Amino acid sequence: MNQQEGYADDIVKGFVIWSMVWGLVAVLVGVFISFQIAFPQLNFPPYLTYGRLRPIHTNAGIFGWGIGSFMAFFIYITQRLTRTSLWSPGLAKAQLWLFNIVIALAAVTLAMGMNRSKEYAELEWPVASLVVVLWVIFAVNIVMTIVKRREEQMYISLWYILATLVGVAVLYLVNNAAIPVSLTKSYSAYAGANDANVQWWYGHNAVAMVLTTPPLAIFYYFLPKATGVPIYSHRMGVIAFWSLIFMYLWTGAHHLLWAPVPDWVQTLAMGFSVMLIAPSWAAVFNGYFSMNGQWHQMRENYLVKFLIFGITFYGLQTLQGPSQSIRTFSAFIHFTDWVPGHVHMGTLGWVSLVLFAAIYYTIPRLYHSEIYSIGLANVHFWLVLTGQLIFSITMWIAGVQQAAMLNATNPDGSLHYSFIETMVELYPYWHMRAVGGVIYLAGLLVFLYNIYQTIAGAKTQAVAQRA
Amino acid sequence: MKMTPAFLIVGALLVFWASTFIIVGLPSLTMKDTPSDIWRPLSPLEREGHRLYVKNGCSYCHSLFIRVNDWDIGAERIAKAGDYAGIEPAILGSERTGPDLSQEGGEHSDDWNIAHFNNPRYTTPVSLMPAWDFLTKHEITALAAYVQALGGKDADVRQKRQREWKRQAQAAYAGGVDRNIEWLHAQVPEVWRRMPNPYPATEAALQRGKRIYQQLCINCHSPIGDGNGPAQPFLGPPPLNFTILRRHLVENRYIGGIFYYQIMNGITGTAMPYFKKHLESEKIWDLSNYLAVSFVGYTDANTDPRGIDASYEPEWQNRYQPPAVNQSP
C-alpha cells in the first residue's frame, strides 16, 4: 500500500511481476518452437510437440504477459486518473490469485491436449469459465473505482480501459458459447462455415481488445508522464477513440478472404479494415505531435525511446494489416510465413515496447528507488529491437518467396514447384528466425535482471534506512 | 464531447452489438448449413481422428480449405460452405506450413498415411512435421481414417480406387518377387515399356537425379535402392527393390520408360505416390537415369529408337552394357 496516497499498489507490483514471469515463459516457448520448426527432432512427445506448445506460446504471450500487465496498469492508471484508491483491494488480491491459476491451468491443459483449436480461444470450458469469473471481478473493480472517482474529467486512457472491459466480455462470451459434454470436452454452439466466421470475428478482435486498446490506454498515460508534456490533442483522441471502437469489430472476416463464407461478409471486413488506418494513425499522430519540441528526449530519455518506437510499430502494423486484408494481396500472402512476421511486429514491437516502458516507469516509483541501470535498459532496448526486426523481416522475405513459389507456373500453366520444394527453401529463414528469437530472449533477460536489481536494491535500501 | 462512464459503457456496448449483429449475427441467421454435393457424415472412427486432429493442434500448420487462387494438390475443386456442414469445430486453418488437407483423402494409400504419422520423414524425407508415434496404434489408425475422409465423397472415390488396386498389388506381391515385377510392368501402357530414356545420363543429370532421390524417395527405397528404408515395415506391399530390375529389363534392354511412367503416375493402391504434380519431365527422366545407373547398373539412355539430340545436350556415349542373357531364371 502506497501510504501517502492510499493507492492499492502492492497488487500492481504482484501483477507486474507475474506478468513478467509469464512473458518469459511465452518467449522461452516461442524460441523453442521456432527451433522445432527448423529441427523437427526437437519435438518431445507428447507434451512438447509443436502442436501442443504453439497454443501455450500464444496464450502465455497474449493472456499471461499481455492481460497480466494490462491488469497491473489498469489498476495503477485508474487509481491515479480518478484520484481514488481501488474500490476493493481484497478483490484485486483474489484476482491476482485467480489470474495465475488460470494461466497455469491453461498451460497444463493445453499441454495435455485439451484444445478447442480455435486460435486464442483454445481453452476448454472449465478454464474458459474461470476466465469469465476473472474478467467480471476485474471489470467490477475498475468500473466501481471510476464511478466513485474524485476527478470529474476522464482522461483518454480511461476510455480505452472501459472499452476493453466491455469488448473482451462481448467477444469472449459469444465465441466461447459451448455445450459441455465432459470435464475435458465441449461442443461449440456453432458449426460449419458459420463457426469459422464467429471464430475469426473473435480471433481478430482479440487483437483489437487485447493488443490494441489496452496498450493504447497505457501509451496515452505514460507518454505524457515520461516526457513531462501533455498529450497533443484531446479532441483527436475522442475522434480516434470512437472511430476505432466503431470500426474494429467488423474486420474479423479478413482472415477468411476467399473462404466459403458469404462474399458480402468478406467485402465488409475488407472495407472496414482499410478504414481502420484512419483511427490508428490518429493515435500515432497524437503521439508524434505530443513530441513537438521534445524530440531531443529520444536521446536523453530511454522511456521515450521505448514509447515512440512502440507507437511507430503500431503505425506500421496498422498499415501492413489493412493492406493484407485486401483480397488480391491476401490471395498472395495468406497462409505464408509473412503473417507470423506481421503478428510479431505488433506483439514484440508495439505491445511489448510500450509495456517495457510502463514497467521501467512504475517499478522504481512503486518501490521508492531508482532504476538499477539506464545503460542496461538501453542494451535491452537494442537487443529486443534487433531480435524483433530480424524475426519480422526474415519472415516477410520468407513469406514473399514462399508465396511467389507457390504461385509460380510454367508457361503451360502447370505448377512450377511442388509444395515440398517450396517448403525446403524456407529452412534458412527458419534458422534466422530462431536467431532473432534468441536475441530477443537475451534482451528480455537483461530487462528482467535490471528490474530484479532495482527491486532488490530498493529492499536493501529500505533495510539500511530502518537500521 | 463529455466522456462519462455510463456514456462510454453504453456507447461501446451499442456499437459492439450493432456491428456484431451485422457481421456475425446475420451470417448465422442466413447461412444455410446444408450439405454440399461431396459432403458425407463422418464415421465414429473418423470422428475420433478429427478429435485427435483438434487436440494435437494440426490446424496450426495445415489449412482445410481451397481458395479459387490455389493451384496445389486437390485444387480440382474449390471449397464450398456445405463441405463443412455440421463439423465442429470447423477449423479452416490460418497457415500452410504444411500443405492444405481439405482434399487429402485418398491421395495416398492407408499404409502410406500410417507410415507418415509414425514419422513424416519416412515418407517425406525433408518434412518438418513432428512424429506422432507416441499415439497408440489405434489412434494413428483413427487419425489416418480422418485424413482419408477429407474431401468427402470425392475422397471416397479415390479411396475406392486405392483399395481396389491395393488388393491386386498385394496379390501380385504374394506371387513372388519376379511375378510381382511382371505384374508391375504389365500395368505400364505398351508404348512406354519399350521407350528408352531420351536424356543422356551425364554426370550433371545423375547429380540432379540423386538430389531428387534424396528429397523424395530415399526413406522408402533406401540409400542402396533395395526397398528397405525406414518406412518399409509399415508398407504392404513393401517398396520396390530396384536391383531386381536387372533381370527384368524389357527385351533385356528397356527400363527408362517404365521408370518414367511409374514415377509420373505412381502406383495407386501401393504407398508409391504420383509425382506428376511435383516433378516436370526432365526431372523425372534424370531421376530415372539415376535409378537405372545406381541400382540396376545399366541405363537405356540415348539408345535406339532415338531422334535428333536436343541442341544443348553434350556429346554423350552410353557405355552401359545390358546384362548378359540367360542371367535371369
Side-chain angles (χ1 to χ4, degrees):
Chain A
M1 182 76 72
N2 187 329
Q3 293 301 334
Q4 282 169 318
E5 302 162 47
Y7 293 151
D9 279 345
D10 280 346
I11 200 67
V12 177
K13 292 177 191 171
F15 272 109
V16 169
I17 288 167
W18 278 104
S19 75
M20 291 191 297
V21 170
W22 295 116
L24 179 64
V25 170
V27 174
L28 278 175
V29 175
V31 169
F32 183 60
I33 60 177
S34 75
F35 275 98
Q36 281 185 329
I37 285 193
F39 307 98
Q41 299 81 352
L42 291 174
N43 284 282
F44 301 108
Y47 305 116
L48 301 183
T49 50
Y50 179 84
R52 304 250 180 122
L53 285 178
R54 196 196 104 140
I56 296 180
H57 165 64
T58 53
N59 279 275
I62 299 171
F63 301 113
W65 164 236
I67 294 275
S69 52
F70 301 149
M71 285 175 166
F73 293 117
F74 282 15
I75 294 173
Y76 180 92
I77 292 172
T78 305
Q79 294 184 97
R80 278 154 183 83
L81 287 177
T82 56
R83 295 189 201 280
T84 310
S85 59
L86 192 65
W87 183 62
S88 167
L91 207 55
K93 206 170 226 173
Q95 182 195 335
L96 177 60
W97 275 96
L98 187 56
F99 165 75
N100 280 314
I101 291 169
V102 164
I103 302 292
L105 271 179
V108 171
T109 54
L110 288 171
M112 284 164 58
M114 276 170 69
N115 182 351
R116 300 166 76 226
S117 264
K118 295 179 158 199
E119 282 181 57
Y120 325 127
E122 280 102 344
L123 305 177
E124 268 298 353
W125 70 271
V127 189
S129 310
L130 287 180
V131 173
V132 175
V133 175
L134 179 66
W135 200 256
V136 169
I137 292 177
F138 177 45
V140 165
N141 217 346
I142 295 289
V143 170
M144 288 310 291
T145 308
I146 294 177
V147 167
K148 69 183 184 83
R149 71 190 183 284
R150 288 190 288 179
E151 173 72 47
E152 177 59 22
Q153 184 75 25
M154 287 179 65
Y155 180 65
I156 308 177
S157 295
L158 291 176
W159 319 339
Y160 283 105
I161 286 174
L162 282 175
T164 303
L165 295 176
V166 173
V168 169
V170 171
L171 291 166
Y172 207 81
L173 288 176
V174 170
N175 191 44
N176 278 276
I179 302 135
V181 286
S182 73
L183 200 59
T184 58
K185 168 83 193 93
S186 63
Y187 284 109
S188 165
Y190 319 97
N194 184 38
D195 187 30
N197 188 41
V198 177
Q199 155 57 22
W200 281 113
W201 166 80
Y202 167 87
H204 186 76
N205 295 312
V207 176
M209 294 300 146
V210 178
L211 301 178
T212 303
T213 50
L216 278 174
I218 291 167
F219 175 81
Y220 273 118
Y221 181 80
F222 284 102
L223 184 71
K225 282 284 174 192
T227 57
V229 293
I231 202 78
Y232 169 71
S233 166
H234 181 85
R235 178 175 296 178
M236 194 149 99
V238 172
I239 296 168
F241 173 79
W242 282 111
S243 46
L244 185 95
I245 296 301
F246 172 63
M247 288 174 198
Y248 228 123
L249 263 62
W250 303 81
T251 56
H254 69 215
H255 287 254
L256 293 169
L257 296 178
W258 306 104
V261 299
D263 266 353
W264 67 265
V265 176
Q266 299 178 30
T267 307
L268 213 53
M270 183 172 101
F272 273 94
S273 301
V274 174
M275 281 153 64
L276 261 180
I277 294 174
S280 307
W281 271 80
V284 175
F285 277 121
N286 223 346
Y288 282 167
F289 289 158
S290 303
M291 292 293 289
N292 280 342
Q294 300 296 323
W295 285 103
H296 59 89
Q297 290 205 32
M298 286 292 278
R299 279 192 303 275
E300 299 148 8
N301 185 342
Y302 69 102
L303 293 175
V304 173
K305 200 155 60 185
F306 277 95
L307 288 166
I308 291 298
F309 267 80
I311 199 75
T312 302
F313 282 122
Y314 176 63
L316 295 175
Q317 189 75 357
T318 51
L319 283 181
Q320 199 180 44
S323 57
Q324 285 164 218
S325 355
I326 294 169
R327 269 205 184 85
T328 40
F329 191 50
S330 166
F332 186 68
I333 222 68
H334 196 53
F335 291 134
T336 71
D337 271 340
W338 170 286
V339 181
H342 168 71
V343 172
H344 283 82
M345 174 163 68
T347 50
L348 300 183
W350 154 235
V351 181
S352 294
L353 286 186
V354 167
L355 288 178
F356 290 143
I359 293 174
Y360 276 133
Y361 179 91
T362 49
I363 285 289
R365 281 168 179 79
L366 291 173
Y367 287 90
H368 308 291
S369 73
E370 293 293 315
I371 190 75
Y372 171 67
S373 163
I374 292 179
L376 280 182
N378 278 313
V379 171
H380 163 221
F381 174 80
W382 288 110
L383 281 175
V384 294
L385 183 71
T386 312
Q388 177 237 315
L389 285 177
I390 290 178
F391 185 122
S392 290
I393 294 172
T394 307
M395 287 298 95
W396 294 329
I397 298 171
V400 170
Q401 175 175 332
Q402 192 183 359
M405 287 182 84
L406 285 169
N407 285 295
T409 49
N410 297 319
D412 63 0
S414 63
L415 205 64
H416 190 70
Y417 298 102
S418 67
F419 184 84
I420 208 76
E421 283 177 293
T422 69
M423 196 213 75
V424 158
E425 297 300 326
L426 296 176
Y427 276 99
Y429 298 108
W430 290 335
H431 296 153
M432 204 62 205
R433 166 169 66 184
V435 169
V438 168
I439 295 174
Y440 192 91
L441 175 62
L444 187 66
L445 292 174
V446 171
F447 164 71
L448 293 175
Y449 175 76
N450 206 352
I451 295 297
Y452 171 79
Q453 285 293 355
T454 305
I455 296 174
K459 286 200 173 133
T460 48
Q461 212 179 4
V463 171
Q465 276 172 0
R466 231 170 285 152
Chain B
M1 194 184 316
K2 181 137 187 265
M3 300 287 202
T4 65
F7 179 61
L8 280 158
I9 293 175
V10 173
L13 272 176
L14 278 178
V15 170
F16 288 161
W17 281 117
S19 54
T20 301
F21 173 72
I22 294 173
I23 205 83
V24 172
L26 282 185
S28 280
L29 296 172
T30 55
M31 277 167 83
K32 293 190 189 75
D33 206 25
T34 37
S36 67
D37 53 329
I38 64 162
W39 185 91
R40 68 158 174 82
L42 293 178
S43 74
L45 185 67
E46 290 160 357
R47 263 208 300 279
E48 205 184 321
H50 177 57
R51 289 307 318 158
L52 287 163
Y53 185 94
V54 170
K55 177 176 167 176
N56 287 296
C58 303
S59 63
Y60 296 121
C61 287
H62 294 286
S63 65
L64 280 175
F65 70 105
I66 293 170
R67 308 169 296 172
V68 280
N69 53 303
D70 286 331
W71 295 70
D72 208 346
I73 296 167
E76 305 288 323
R77 187 179 183 285
I78 309 303
K80 291 179 188 165
D83 299 355
Y84 306 90
I87 292 180
E88 181 289 324
I91 30 165
L92 299 185
S94 54
E95 274 277 316
R96 281 187 188 159
T97 307
D100 182 88
L101 296 179
S102 55
Q103 287 287 338
E104 179 60 25
E107 278 281 335
H108 297 95
S109 62
D110 292 332
D111 50 351
W112 184 97
N113 273 298
I114 302 287
H116 180 257
F117 281 126
N118 272 281
N119 189 333
R121 278 153 297 287
Y122 288 172
T123 52
T124 313
V126 291
S127 171
L128 76 146
M129 179 169 144
W132 300 97
D133 53 350
F134 66 88
L135 297 177
T136 65
K137 227 173 157 171
H138 171 76
E139 285 173 325
I140 289 186
T141 313
L143 199 51
Y146 170 63
V147 167
Q148 293 291 44
L150 288 170
K153 289 175 187 166
D154 282 358
D156 290 347
V157 171
R158 295 191 288 266
Q159 270 294 74
K160 191 164 164 259
R161 186 183 298 140
Q162 291 280 7
R163 298 224 162 108
E164 169 60 21
W165 285 102
K166 162 80 75 208
R167 203 179 46 73
Q168 297 197 36
Q170 279 176 338
Y173 184 75
V177 175
D178 296 292
R179 286 285 305 284
N180 184 40
I181 291 189
E182 281 161 28
W183 179 82
L184 285 169
H185 281 9
Q187 306 314 316
V188 176
E190 184 67 37
V191 287
W192 289 87
R193 278 185 246 163
R194 287 179 185 75
M195 184 186 291
N197 194 323
Y199 282 74
T202 60
E203 197 53 38
L206 293 176
Q207 285 299 326
R208 289 196 295 269
K210 183 179 182 180
R211 183 166 177 270
I212 295 166
Y213 187 78
Q214 289 179 339
Q215 277 198 0
L216 299 174
C217 324
I218 194 164
N219 284 347
C220 286
H221 292 285
S222 101
I224 56 168
D226 65 355
N228 280 326
Q232 185 267 347
F234 299 94
L235 306 179
L240 187 65
N241 176 352
F242 295 126
T243 60
I244 300 166
L245 290 172
R246 193 166 166 85
R247 58 179 191 244
H248 285 281
L249 303 176
V250 175
E251 294 171 0
N252 202 38
R253 254 188 102 152
Y254 301 114
I255 192 65
I258 290 178
F259 272 139
Y260 189 100
Y261 190 87
Q262 302 286 51
I263 296 166
M264 172 178 74
N265 251 15
I267 301 159
T268 306
T270 76
M272 173 69 188
Y274 64 82
F275 289 95
K276 58 165 74 169
K277 288 198 175 185
H278 306 70
L279 301 171
E280 318 143 48
S281 173
E282 185 187 11
K283 290 178 184 170
I284 302 183
W285 287 121
D286 285 343
L287 180 58
S288 308
N289 265 328
Y290 174 75
L291 299 179
V293 168
S294 307
F295 306 132
V296 187
Y298 162 78
T299 177
D300 55 12
N302 273 7
T303 58
D304 287 326
R306 59 185 291 196
I308 305 170
D309 286 342
S311 60
Y312 81 93
E313 285 180 14
E315 203 56 43
W316 183 79
Q317 277 294 318
N318 188 338
R319 293 179 211 287
Y320 296 99
Q321 294 299 320
V325 210
N326 299 332
Q327 196 192 19
S328 52

